[in-house]
Amino acid sequence: MNKLMLFIILILSFTAKSQITPPAGIGSNIILWLSPDTSVFESPGIPALVGDRVEEWHDISGGGYVFKTSSTTKEPTFATYQNNNYLDFIDGRFLENTAVASIINGLDEFSIYMVIKSDDVNTDQGFLDSENSDGADDILCIRYDASGANTARTNLLKCGMQGNIANNQVESQSNTQTNQKQVLTLTWKAGEKINLYLDGVLNSSSNNTIATPMSGIQKILIGKGPKDIGVNSGWDGKIGTTIFYSKKMDPDTVSLISTDLLSTNSVKTGDWNDPTTWDCNCNPINNASVTINDLHTVTLTQNETIGNVIIKSGGNLDLSTNNFRLNVQKNFTNNGSLTSREGKIKFTGSIEQLINGSGNTNFYNLHINNNAGVRTTDGNLNVLKSLYIQKGCFDTGDRLTLVSNTIGTARIAELSGTACVNGDITMQRYVGSESANW
């Protein structure tokens, strides 16, 4: 009876975890989706628990592809890192599927996302290939590269496609190997270059444009790269969500999806600097991405600096009754609500930043301090007090309202230097009933 009850609990737990949504809610055009949060099996039909060997990793895109290994001694293990699920690879462990080749061959565009966390740097280890490892960076592959043969850069990432040709390959900037979590994205469309993004930011591109559709894919191999020829050679680290889209995505979409995949997530209502508020059980570092989930309110207890902010529907970010400041270095996505009180949001990045989401965002004081500018792409923005543009241009996307009410009328502070505003602005003027003799 106890064994039966335990089995039922495991099944129910696994089913609950299976209710996941695609990153940033972008689910169209997915042709392969491996998630460590569901459909990871210790043996056929038996969900893996932390520490178990993983015999099967099932695609959840609807294609039904099952990734497995031909050797029971080469199965990765189910693991966690900062309370997020991964598959842990070492000593040449790998998973593969050959049937998936049929949907990749013939593609004339794609976007590929992979979440990785390496245990080594200054290495040639790989984590994605499309054939048995043979030393050639060709067809479709991604790996770490200690020394770039094409660019003389070091400690980088390398991608190959459509032949072992230097100009068809992408080598990232130096020192992009890391022991931290990374989100890698490859995008391509026939007649265009291959683009490599790291954590949602374009890092490097191929010299050549590639005109012909994908061909020569024999399999998708997870946990090994072209240089991992030996039986015990391969990725030493963790691999998380892996998604293939049959569409080349624009930089804004790459940024949104990567931010979601990279994010530290709230697990309850609480203070920003309380480690138990977040799934990493940590205080988010300055360049981190954070997501505030449905039914959670996260409240600042001091001024903070962060990379990306995502507020999910039903989530709330509260700048607190002490009216703290949040410095945002990348993007701000609001699908829930922002309780500004009399605090401020300040955009301080070095590349163009985006404000987006489906929610109506009420800023009390909004500061733009980025020479590369800030651009609004979705949602409606309200400024209740002041808009300060110290550096760069603010593109309103015709979505900005300067609010006027019984408390006061919002304003745009004096612009200086090359600061500018692009786009329409709605400027309200409050008229009290006494003024109109109502």
Side-chain angles (χ1 to χ4, degrees), residues 54 57 74-79 86-96 114 117 119-120 125-127 221-224 234-240:
V54 175
W57 196 6
K74 292 302 177 185
E75 295 171 345
T77 56
F78 191 51
Y86 291 88
L87 273 64
D88 197 9
F89 294 78
I90 193 172
D91 296 335
R93 297 177 185 178
F94 67 94
L95 296 172
E96 63 182 354
M114 291 191 74
K117 193 275 177 190
D119 291 336
D120 298 330
Q125 296 165 1
F127 42 89
L221 178 62
I222 305 290
K224 278 181 172 284
W235 185 242
D236 185 1
K238 298 172 176 62
I239 297 176

PDB file of all heavy atoms in Angstrom, residues 54 57 74-79 86-96 114 117 119-120 125-127 221-224 234-240:
ATOM      1  N   VAL A  54      19.695   9.228 -16.512  1.00  0.00           N
ATOM      2  CA  VAL A  54      18.606   9.539 -17.444  1.00  0.00           C
ATOM      3  C   VAL A  54      18.747   8.659 -18.678  1.00  0.00           C
ATOM      4  O   VAL A  54      19.707   8.786 -19.445  1.00  0.00           O
ATOM      5  CB  VAL A  54      18.620  11.025 -17.846  1.00  0.00           C
ATOM      6  CG1 VAL A  54      17.556  11.296 -18.908  1.00  0.00           C
ATOM      7  CG2 VAL A  54      18.395  11.902 -16.621  1.00  0.00           C
ATOM      8  N   TRP A  57      15.065  11.282 -22.695  1.00  0.00           N
ATOM      9  CA  TRP A  57      14.642  12.682 -22.592  1.00  0.00           C
ATOM     10  C   TRP A  57      13.711  12.925 -23.767  1.00  0.00           C
ATOM     11  O   TRP A  57      14.112  12.852 -24.914  1.00  0.00           O
ATOM     12  CB  TRP A  57      15.852  13.603 -22.645  1.00  0.00           C
ATOM     13  CG  TRP A  57      15.587  15.017 -22.182  1.00  0.00           C
ATOM     14  CD1 TRP A  57      14.449  15.512 -21.634  1.00  0.00           C
ATOM     15  CD2 TRP A  57      16.518  16.109 -22.224  1.00  0.00           C
ATOM     16  NE1 TRP A  57      14.601  16.847 -21.332  1.00  0.00           N
ATOM     17  CE2 TRP A  57      15.866  17.236 -21.675  1.00  0.00           C
ATOM     18  CE3 TRP A  57      17.826  16.246 -22.668  1.00  0.00           C
ATOM     19  CZ2 TRP A  57      16.480  18.495 -21.582  1.00  0.00           C
ATOM     20  CZ3 TRP A  57      18.448  17.490 -22.565  1.00  0.00           C
ATOM     21  CH2 TRP A  57      17.781  18.593 -22.025  1.00  0.00           C
ATOM     22  N   LYS A  74      26.824   5.519 -20.321  1.00  0.00           N
ATOM     23  CA  LYS A  74      26.988   6.873 -20.846  1.00  0.00           C
ATOM     24  C   LYS A  74      25.723   7.717 -20.693  1.00  0.00           C
ATOM     25  O   LYS A  74      25.502   8.665 -21.448  1.00  0.00           O
ATOM     26  CB  LYS A  74      27.405   6.814 -22.325  1.00  0.00           C
ATOM     27  CG  LYS A  74      28.804   6.247 -22.521  1.00  0.00           C
ATOM     28  CD  LYS A  74      29.856   7.046 -21.759  1.00  0.00           C
ATOM     29  CE  LYS A  74      31.244   6.477 -21.876  1.00  0.00           C
ATOM     30  NZ  LYS A  74      32.221   7.209 -21.041  1.00  0.00           N
ATOM     31  N   GLU A  75      24.900   7.378 -19.734  1.00  0.00           N
ATOM     32  CA  GLU A  75      23.693   8.166 -19.480  1.00  0.00           C
ATOM     33  C   GLU A  75      24.028   9.361 -18.584  1.00  0.00           C
ATOM     34  O   GLU A  75      24.719   9.223 -17.575  1.00  0.00           O
ATOM     35  CB  GLU A  75      22.640   7.295 -18.795  1.00  0.00           C
ATOM     36  CG  GLU A  75      22.128   6.159 -19.671  1.00  0.00           C
ATOM     37  CD  GLU A  75      21.259   5.197 -18.889  1.00  0.00           C
ATOM     38  OE1 GLU A  75      21.284   5.256 -17.637  1.00  0.00           O
ATOM     39  OE2 GLU A  75      20.565   4.381 -19.519  1.00  0.00           O
ATOM     40  N   PRO A  76      23.537  10.562 -18.912  1.00  0.00           N
ATOM     41  CA  PRO A  76      23.708  11.699 -18.004  1.00  0.00           C
ATOM     42  C   PRO A  76      22.868  11.505 -16.753  1.00  0.00           C
ATOM     43  O   PRO A  76      22.042  10.578 -16.682  1.00  0.00           O
ATOM     44  CB  PRO A  76      23.202  12.885 -18.835  1.00  0.00           C
ATOM     45  CG  PRO A  76      22.219  12.274 -19.786  1.00  0.00           C
ATOM     46  CD  PRO A  76      22.749  10.900 -20.105  1.00  0.00           C
ATOM     47  N   THR A  77      23.060  12.345 -15.770  1.00  0.00           N
ATOM     48  CA  THR A  77      22.271  12.267 -14.548  1.00  0.00           C
ATOM     49  C   THR A  77      21.352  13.471 -14.434  1.00  0.00           C
ATOM     50  O   THR A  77      21.616  14.548 -14.975  1.00  0.00           O
ATOM     51  CB  THR A  77      23.167  12.190 -13.302  1.00  0.00           C
ATOM     52  OG1 THR A  77      24.049  13.320 -13.293  1.00  0.00           O
ATOM     53  CG2 THR A  77      23.995  10.924 -13.312  1.00  0.00           C
ATOM     54  N   PHE A  78      20.242  13.277 -13.725  1.00  0.00           N
ATOM     55  CA  PHE A  78      19.297  14.358 -13.468  1.00  0.00           C
ATOM     56  C   PHE A  78      19.815  15.149 -12.274  1.00  0.00           C
ATOM     57  O   PHE A  78      20.139  14.579 -11.223  1.00  0.00           O
ATOM     58  CB  PHE A  78      17.917  13.770 -13.191  1.00  0.00           C
ATOM     59  CG  PHE A  78      16.814  14.789 -13.167  1.00  0.00           C
ATOM     60  CD1 PHE A  78      16.654  15.685 -14.206  1.00  0.00           C
ATOM     61  CD2 PHE A  78      15.921  14.859 -12.104  1.00  0.00           C
ATOM     62  CE1 PHE A  78      15.634  16.622 -14.194  1.00  0.00           C
ATOM     63  CE2 PHE A  78      14.900  15.783 -12.073  1.00  0.00           C
ATOM     64  CZ  PHE A  78      14.751  16.671 -13.127  1.00  0.00           C
ATOM     65  N   ALA A  79      19.918  16.479 -12.430  1.00  0.00           N
ATOM     66  CA  ALA A  79      20.561  17.299 -11.412  1.00  0.00           C
ATOM     67  C   ALA A  79      19.863  18.643 -11.297  1.00  0.00           C
ATOM     68  O   ALA A  79      18.997  18.985 -12.107  1.00  0.00           O
ATOM     69  CB  ALA A  79      22.040  17.511 -11.769  1.00  0.00           C
ATOM     70  N   TYR A  86      18.432  20.360 -14.550  1.00  0.00           N
ATOM     71  CA  TYR A  86      19.361  20.176 -15.671  1.00  0.00           C
ATOM     72  C   TYR A  86      19.639  18.696 -15.843  1.00  0.00           C
ATOM     73  O   TYR A  86      19.358  17.885 -14.959  1.00  0.00           O
ATOM     74  CB  TYR A  86      20.703  20.877 -15.395  1.00  0.00           C
ATOM     75  CG  TYR A  86      20.661  22.375 -15.398  1.00  0.00           C
ATOM     76  CD1 TYR A  86      20.355  23.083 -14.242  1.00  0.00           C
ATOM     77  CD2 TYR A  86      20.949  23.098 -16.556  1.00  0.00           C
ATOM     78  CE1 TYR A  86      20.325  24.464 -14.231  1.00  0.00           C
ATOM     79  CE2 TYR A  86      20.925  24.485 -16.555  1.00  0.00           C
ATOM     80  CZ  TYR A  86      20.620  25.160 -15.388  1.00  0.00           C
ATOM     81  OH  TYR A  86      20.581  26.527 -15.384  1.00  0.00           O
ATOM     82  N   LEU A  87      20.261  18.363 -16.972  1.00  0.00           N
ATOM     83  CA  LEU A  87      20.913  17.074 -17.140  1.00  0.00           C
ATOM     84  C   LEU A  87      22.408  17.318 -17.024  1.00  0.00           C
ATOM     85  O   LEU A  87      22.935  18.259 -17.639  1.00  0.00           O
ATOM     86  CB  LEU A  87      20.565  16.428 -18.476  1.00  0.00           C
ATOM     87  CG  LEU A  87      19.284  15.578 -18.480  1.00  0.00           C
ATOM     88  CD1 LEU A  87      18.056  16.445 -18.205  1.00  0.00           C
ATOM     89  CD2 LEU A  87      19.128  14.847 -19.803  1.00  0.00           C
ATOM     90  N   ASP A  88      23.087  16.491 -16.243  1.00  0.00           N
ATOM     91  CA  ASP A  88      24.506  16.677 -15.957  1.00  0.00           C
ATOM     92  C   ASP A  88      25.315  15.671 -16.781  1.00  0.00           C
ATOM     93  O   ASP A  88      25.085  14.465 -16.701  1.00  0.00           O
ATOM     94  CB  ASP A  88      24.760  16.472 -14.463  1.00  0.00           C
ATOM     95  CG  ASP A  88      26.088  17.042 -14.006  1.00  0.00           C
ATOM     96  OD1 ASP A  88      26.735  17.746 -14.815  1.00  0.00           O
ATOM     97  OD2 ASP A  88      26.476  16.802 -12.849  1.00  0.00           O
ATOM     98  N   PHE A  89      26.266  16.197 -17.564  1.00  0.00           N
ATOM     99  CA  PHE A  89      27.060  15.371 -18.470  1.00  0.00           C
ATOM    100  C   PHE A  89      28.522  15.374 -18.031  1.00  0.00           C
ATOM    101  O   PHE A  89      29.060  16.411 -17.634  1.00  0.00           O
ATOM    102  CB  PHE A  89      26.971  15.909 -19.901  1.00  0.00           C
ATOM    103  CG  PHE A  89      25.599  15.803 -20.518  1.00  0.00           C
ATOM    104  CD1 PHE A  89      24.602  16.708 -20.182  1.00  0.00           C
ATOM    105  CD2 PHE A  89      25.307  14.800 -21.423  1.00  0.00           C
ATOM    106  CE1 PHE A  89      23.338  16.622 -20.752  1.00  0.00           C
ATOM    107  CE2 PHE A  89      24.048  14.704 -22.005  1.00  0.00           C
ATOM    108  CZ  PHE A  89      23.058  15.614 -21.660  1.00  0.00           C
ATOM    109  N   ILE A  90      29.179  14.216 -18.154  1.00  0.00           N
ATOM    110  CA  ILE A  90      30.595  14.078 -17.823  1.00  0.00           C
ATOM    111  C   ILE A  90      31.087  12.772 -18.435  1.00  0.00           C
ATOM    112  O   ILE A  90      30.291  11.856 -18.714  1.00  0.00           O
ATOM    113  CB  ILE A  90      30.818  14.084 -16.286  1.00  0.00           C
ATOM    114  CG1 ILE A  90      32.305  14.272 -15.953  1.00  0.00           C
ATOM    115  CG2 ILE A  90      30.253  12.826 -15.644  1.00  0.00           C
ATOM    116  CD1 ILE A  90      32.578  14.472 -14.467  1.00  0.00           C
ATOM    117  N   ASP A  91      32.396  12.704 -18.710  1.00  0.00           N
ATOM    118  CA  ASP A  91      33.039  11.452 -19.166  1.00  0.00           C
ATOM    119  C   ASP A  91      32.408  10.896 -20.442  1.00  0.00           C
ATOM    120  O   ASP A  91      32.239   9.678 -20.601  1.00  0.00           O
ATOM    121  CB  ASP A  91      32.991  10.388 -18.067  1.00  0.00           C
ATOM    122  CG  ASP A  91      33.791  10.782 -16.840  1.00  0.00           C
ATOM    123  OD1 ASP A  91      34.726  11.590 -16.994  1.00  0.00           O
ATOM    124  OD2 ASP A  91      33.457  10.307 -15.732  1.00  0.00           O
ATOM    125  N   GLY A  92      32.027  11.764 -21.358  1.00  0.00           N
ATOM    126  CA  GLY A  92      31.519  11.310 -22.642  1.00  0.00           C
ATOM    127  C   GLY A  92      30.069  10.866 -22.649  1.00  0.00           C
ATOM    128  O   GLY A  92      29.624  10.213 -23.603  1.00  0.00           O
ATOM    129  N   ARG A  93      29.323  11.218 -21.627  1.00  0.00           N
ATOM    130  CA  ARG A  93      27.898  10.855 -21.605  1.00  0.00           C
ATOM    131  C   ARG A  93      27.135  11.703 -22.612  1.00  0.00           C
ATOM    132  O   ARG A  93      27.456  12.866 -22.848  1.00  0.00           O
ATOM    133  CB  ARG A  93      27.336  11.037 -20.195  1.00  0.00           C
ATOM    134  CG  ARG A  93      28.016  10.116 -19.180  1.00  0.00           C
ATOM    135  CD  ARG A  93      27.523  10.350 -17.764  1.00  0.00           C
ATOM    136  NE  ARG A  93      28.292   9.540 -16.811  1.00  0.00           N
ATOM    137  CZ  ARG A  93      28.116   9.550 -15.504  1.00  0.00           C
ATOM    138  NH1 ARG A  93      27.172  10.318 -14.968  1.00  0.00           N
ATOM    139  NH2 ARG A  93      28.857   8.791 -14.720  1.00  0.00           N
ATOM    140  N   PHE A  94      26.094  11.120 -23.198  1.00  0.00           N
ATOM    141  CA  PHE A  94      25.383  11.823 -24.271  1.00  0.00           C
ATOM    142  C   PHE A  94      23.984  11.241 -24.453  1.00  0.00           C
ATOM    143  O   PHE A  94      23.686  10.139 -23.974  1.00  0.00           O
ATOM    144  CB  PHE A  94      26.159  11.710 -25.588  1.00  0.00           C
ATOM    145  CG  PHE A  94      26.216  10.315 -26.144  1.00  0.00           C
ATOM    146  CD1 PHE A  94      25.286   9.885 -27.087  1.00  0.00           C
ATOM    147  CD2 PHE A  94      27.192   9.413 -25.727  1.00  0.00           C
ATOM    148  CE1 PHE A  94      25.329   8.590 -27.601  1.00  0.00           C
ATOM    149  CE2 PHE A  94      27.238   8.115 -26.229  1.00  0.00           C
ATOM    150  CZ  PHE A  94      26.307   7.707 -27.169  1.00  0.00           C
ATOM    151  N   LEU A  95      23.148  11.977 -25.161  1.00  0.00           N
ATOM    152  CA  LEU A  95      21.838  11.514 -25.620  1.00  0.00           C
ATOM    153  C   LEU A  95      21.713  11.908 -27.089  1.00  0.00           C
ATOM    154  O   LEU A  95      22.222  12.951 -27.512  1.00  0.00           O
ATOM    155  CB  LEU A  95      20.710  12.140 -24.806  1.00  0.00           C
ATOM    156  CG  LEU A  95      20.657  11.781 -23.310  1.00  0.00           C
ATOM    157  CD1 LEU A  95      19.610  12.643 -22.606  1.00  0.00           C
ATOM    158  CD2 LEU A  95      20.356  10.305 -23.101  1.00  0.00           C
ATOM    159  N   GLU A  96      20.983  11.095 -27.867  1.00  0.00           N
ATOM    160  CA  GLU A  96      20.872  11.394 -29.291  1.00  0.00           C
ATOM    161  C   GLU A  96      19.544  10.901 -29.851  1.00  0.00           C
ATOM    162  O   GLU A  96      18.871  10.056 -29.267  1.00  0.00           O
ATOM    163  CB  GLU A  96      22.026  10.745 -30.062  1.00  0.00           C
ATOM    164  CG  GLU A  96      22.039   9.227 -29.999  1.00  0.00           C
ATOM    165  CD  GLU A  96      23.218   8.601 -30.720  1.00  0.00           C
ATOM    166  OE1 GLU A  96      23.980   9.350 -31.374  1.00  0.00           O
ATOM    167  OE2 GLU A  96      23.365   7.369 -30.648  1.00  0.00           O
ATOM    168  N   MET A 114      19.834  27.097 -26.390  1.00  0.00           N
ATOM    169  CA  MET A 114      20.326  26.090 -25.443  1.00  0.00           C
ATOM    170  C   MET A 114      20.751  26.786 -24.157  1.00  0.00           C
ATOM    171  O   MET A 114      21.442  27.816 -24.188  1.00  0.00           O
ATOM    172  CB  MET A 114      21.503  25.312 -26.020  1.00  0.00           C
ATOM    173  CG  MET A 114      21.153  24.393 -27.171  1.00  0.00           C
ATOM    174  SD  MET A 114      22.514  23.255 -27.601  1.00  0.00           S
ATOM    175  CE  MET A 114      22.445  22.078 -26.229  1.00  0.00           C
ATOM    176  N   LYS A 117      25.585  25.139 -18.588  1.00  0.00           N
ATOM    177  CA  LYS A 117      26.393  25.579 -17.451  1.00  0.00           C
ATOM    178  C   LYS A 117      27.613  24.668 -17.419  1.00  0.00           C
ATOM    179  O   LYS A 117      27.529  23.489 -17.080  1.00  0.00           O
ATOM    180  CB  LYS A 117      25.584  25.484 -16.151  1.00  0.00           C
ATOM    181  CG  LYS A 117      26.233  26.204 -14.956  1.00  0.00           C
ATOM    182  CD  LYS A 117      27.233  25.313 -14.266  1.00  0.00           C
ATOM    183  CE  LYS A 117      27.929  26.039 -13.120  1.00  0.00           C
ATOM    184  NZ  LYS A 117      29.083  25.231 -12.588  1.00  0.00           N
ATOM    185  N   ASP A 119      31.353  23.166 -16.367  1.00  0.00           N
ATOM    186  CA  ASP A 119      32.225  23.000 -15.215  1.00  0.00           C
ATOM    187  C   ASP A 119      33.670  23.350 -15.554  1.00  0.00           C
ATOM    188  O   ASP A 119      34.512  23.463 -14.667  1.00  0.00           O
ATOM    189  CB  ASP A 119      32.167  21.559 -14.693  1.00  0.00           C
ATOM    190  CG  ASP A 119      30.820  21.237 -14.068  1.00  0.00           C
ATOM    191  OD1 ASP A 119      30.130  22.179 -13.622  1.00  0.00           O
ATOM    192  OD2 ASP A 119      30.441  20.056 -14.040  1.00  0.00           O
ATOM    193  N   ASP A 120      33.985  23.506 -16.856  1.00  0.00           N
ATOM    194  CA  ASP A 120      35.347  23.786 -17.309  1.00  0.00           C
ATOM    195  C   ASP A 120      35.364  25.027 -18.197  1.00  0.00           C
ATOM    196  O   ASP A 120      34.369  25.365 -18.840  1.00  0.00           O
ATOM    197  CB  ASP A 120      35.909  22.608 -18.121  1.00  0.00           C
ATOM    198  CG  ASP A 120      36.011  21.330 -17.313  1.00  0.00           C
ATOM    199  OD1 ASP A 120      36.217  21.421 -16.092  1.00  0.00           O
ATOM    200  OD2 ASP A 120      35.872  20.240 -17.908  1.00  0.00           O
ATOM    201  N   GLN A 125      35.499  21.286 -25.371  1.00  0.00           N
ATOM    202  CA  GLN A 125      34.340  20.411 -25.209  1.00  0.00           C
ATOM    203  C   GLN A 125      33.108  20.995 -25.901  1.00  0.00           C
ATOM    204  O   GLN A 125      32.874  22.212 -25.889  1.00  0.00           O
ATOM    205  CB  GLN A 125      34.042  20.219 -23.724  1.00  0.00           C
ATOM    206  CG  GLN A 125      35.140  19.518 -22.955  1.00  0.00           C
ATOM    207  CD  GLN A 125      34.985  19.662 -21.462  1.00  0.00           C
ATOM    208  OE1 GLN A 125      34.033  20.271 -20.984  1.00  0.00           O
ATOM    209  NE2 GLN A 125      35.927  19.109 -20.708  1.00  0.00           N
ATOM    210  N   GLY A 126      32.298  20.094 -26.469  1.00  0.00           N
ATOM    211  CA  GLY A 126      31.085  20.515 -27.163  1.00  0.00           C
ATOM    212  C   GLY A 126      29.843  19.971 -26.506  1.00  0.00           C
ATOM    213  O   GLY A 126      29.892  19.083 -25.661  1.00  0.00           O
ATOM    214  N   PHE A 127      28.695  20.519 -26.935  1.00  0.00           N
ATOM    215  CA  PHE A 127      27.425  20.097 -26.345  1.00  0.00           C
ATOM    216  C   PHE A 127      26.335  19.858 -27.379  1.00  0.00           C
ATOM    217  O   PHE A 127      25.266  19.385 -27.047  1.00  0.00           O
ATOM    218  CB  PHE A 127      26.949  21.108 -25.302  1.00  0.00           C
ATOM    219  CG  PHE A 127      27.132  22.547 -25.703  1.00  0.00           C
ATOM    220  CD1 PHE A 127      26.160  23.222 -26.395  1.00  0.00           C
ATOM    221  CD2 PHE A 127      28.298  23.209 -25.383  1.00  0.00           C
ATOM    222  CE1 PHE A 127      26.334  24.544 -26.769  1.00  0.00           C
ATOM    223  CE2 PHE A 127      28.489  24.534 -25.740  1.00  0.00           C
ATOM    224  CZ  PHE A 127      27.505  25.209 -26.446  1.00  0.00           C
ATOM    225  N   LEU A 221      22.822  15.282 -31.488  1.00  0.00           N
ATOM    226  CA  LEU A 221      23.607  14.680 -30.424  1.00  0.00           C
ATOM    227  C   LEU A 221      23.796  15.722 -29.328  1.00  0.00           C
ATOM    228  O   LEU A 221      24.331  16.801 -29.568  1.00  0.00           O
ATOM    229  CB  LEU A 221      24.952  14.242 -30.991  1.00  0.00           C
ATOM    230  CG  LEU A 221      25.998  13.615 -30.070  1.00  0.00           C
ATOM    231  CD1 LEU A 221      25.473  12.323 -29.471  1.00  0.00           C
ATOM    232  CD2 LEU A 221      27.282  13.356 -30.856  1.00  0.00           C
ATOM    233  N   ILE A 222      23.306  15.426 -28.136  1.00  0.00           N
ATOM    234  CA  ILE A 222      23.385  16.334 -26.989  1.00  0.00           C
ATOM    235  C   ILE A 222      24.446  15.827 -26.032  1.00  0.00           C
ATOM    236  O   ILE A 222      24.407  14.669 -25.592  1.00  0.00           O
ATOM    237  CB  ILE A 222      22.027  16.413 -26.249  1.00  0.00           C
ATOM    238  CG1 ILE A 222      20.897  16.811 -27.199  1.00  0.00           C
ATOM    239  CG2 ILE A 222      22.116  17.370 -25.064  1.00  0.00           C
ATOM    240  CD1 ILE A 222      20.938  18.215 -27.675  1.00  0.00           C
ATOM    241  N   GLY A 223      25.424  16.682 -25.696  1.00  0.00           N
ATOM    242  CA  GLY A 223      26.455  16.303 -24.732  1.00  0.00           C
ATOM    243  C   GLY A 223      27.814  16.043 -25.341  1.00  0.00           C
ATOM    244  O   GLY A 223      28.782  15.773 -24.622  1.00  0.00           O
ATOM    245  N   LYS A 224      27.918  16.144 -26.649  1.00  0.00           N
ATOM    246  CA  LYS A 224      29.192  16.002 -27.344  1.00  0.00           C
ATOM    247  C   LYS A 224      29.267  17.022 -28.480  1.00  0.00           C
ATOM    248  O   LYS A 224      28.244  17.478 -28.993  1.00  0.00           O
ATOM    249  CB  LYS A 224      29.361  14.593 -27.937  1.00  0.00           C
ATOM    250  CG  LYS A 224      29.845  13.524 -26.973  1.00  0.00           C
ATOM    251  CD  LYS A 224      29.993  12.195 -27.682  1.00  0.00           C
ATOM    252  CE  LYS A 224      30.652  11.126 -26.819  1.00  0.00           C
ATOM    253  NZ  LYS A 224      32.103  11.314 -26.686  1.00  0.00           N
ATOM    254  N   GLY A 234      33.693  14.611 -23.928  1.00  0.00           N
ATOM    255  CA  GLY A 234      32.402  15.255 -24.103  1.00  0.00           C
ATOM    256  C   GLY A 234      32.244  16.415 -23.149  1.00  0.00           C
ATOM    257  O   GLY A 234      33.189  16.851 -22.481  1.00  0.00           O
ATOM    258  N   TRP A 235      31.048  16.912 -23.099  1.00  0.00           N
ATOM    259  CA  TRP A 235      30.722  18.073 -22.274  1.00  0.00           C
ATOM    260  C   TRP A 235      30.868  17.731 -20.798  1.00  0.00           C
ATOM    261  O   TRP A 235      30.416  16.676 -20.349  1.00  0.00           O
ATOM    262  CB  TRP A 235      29.294  18.496 -22.575  1.00  0.00           C
ATOM    263  CG  TRP A 235      28.835  19.761 -21.900  1.00  0.00           C
ATOM    264  CD1 TRP A 235      27.827  19.884 -21.003  1.00  0.00           C
ATOM    265  CD2 TRP A 235      29.352  21.068 -22.101  1.00  0.00           C
ATOM    266  NE1 TRP A 235      27.686  21.201 -20.617  1.00  0.00           N
ATOM    267  CE2 TRP A 235      28.610  21.960 -21.284  1.00  0.00           C
ATOM    268  CE3 TRP A 235      30.374  21.602 -22.887  1.00  0.00           C
ATOM    269  CZ2 TRP A 235      28.850  23.327 -21.237  1.00  0.00           C
ATOM    270  CZ3 TRP A 235      30.614  22.973 -22.850  1.00  0.00           C
ATOM    271  CH2 TRP A 235      29.862  23.805 -22.032  1.00  0.00           C
ATOM    272  N   ASP A 236      31.517  18.613 -20.068  1.00  0.00           N
ATOM    273  CA  ASP A 236      31.634  18.471 -18.624  1.00  0.00           C
ATOM    274  C   ASP A 236      30.834  19.619 -18.009  1.00  0.00           C
ATOM    275  O   ASP A 236      31.341  20.725 -17.829  1.00  0.00           O
ATOM    276  CB  ASP A 236      33.105  18.538 -18.195  1.00  0.00           C
ATOM    277  CG  ASP A 236      33.287  18.280 -16.701  1.00  0.00           C
ATOM    278  OD1 ASP A 236      32.270  18.037 -16.014  1.00  0.00           O
ATOM    279  OD2 ASP A 236      34.438  18.321 -16.225  1.00  0.00           O
ATOM    280  N   GLY A 237      29.574  19.350 -17.736  1.00  0.00           N
ATOM    281  CA  GLY A 237      28.697  20.391 -17.220  1.00  0.00           C
ATOM    282  C   GLY A 237      27.243  20.038 -17.429  1.00  0.00           C
ATOM    283  O   GLY A 237      26.891  18.891 -17.705  1.00  0.00           O
ATOM    284  N   LYS A 238      26.406  21.031 -17.307  1.00  0.00           N
ATOM    285  CA  LYS A 238      24.960  20.827 -17.330  1.00  0.00           C
ATOM    286  C   LYS A 238      24.348  21.398 -18.603  1.00  0.00           C
ATOM    287  O   LYS A 238      24.839  22.385 -19.154  1.00  0.00           O
ATOM    288  CB  LYS A 238      24.328  21.459 -16.089  1.00  0.00           C
ATOM    289  CG  LYS A 238      24.821  20.826 -14.784  1.00  0.00           C
ATOM    290  CD  LYS A 238      24.343  21.570 -13.570  1.00  0.00           C
ATOM    291  CE  LYS A 238      24.782  20.851 -12.292  1.00  0.00           C
ATOM    292  NZ  LYS A 238      26.268  20.773 -12.169  1.00  0.00           N
ATOM    293  N   ILE A 239      23.260  20.767 -19.033  1.00  0.00           N
ATOM    294  CA  ILE A 239      22.484  21.232 -20.183  1.00  0.00           C
ATOM    295  C   ILE A 239      21.025  21.294 -19.763  1.00  0.00           C
ATOM    296  O   ILE A 239      20.494  20.339 -19.188  1.00  0.00           O
ATOM    297  CB  ILE A 239      22.667  20.310 -21.402  1.00  0.00           C
ATOM    298  CG1 ILE A 239      24.142  20.322 -21.852  1.00  0.00           C
ATOM    299  CG2 ILE A 239      21.752  20.738 -22.547  1.00  0.00           C
ATOM    300  CD1 ILE A 239      24.447  19.372 -22.993  1.00  0.00           C
ATOM    301  N   GLY A 240      20.399  22.415 -20.045  1.00  0.00           N
ATOM    302  CA  GLY A 240      18.998  22.614 -19.696  1.00  0.00           C
ATOM    303  C   GLY A 240      18.120  22.685 -20.929  1.00  0.00           C
ATOM    304  O   GLY A 240      18.308  21.938 -21.900  1.00  0.00           O
TER     305      GLY A 240
END
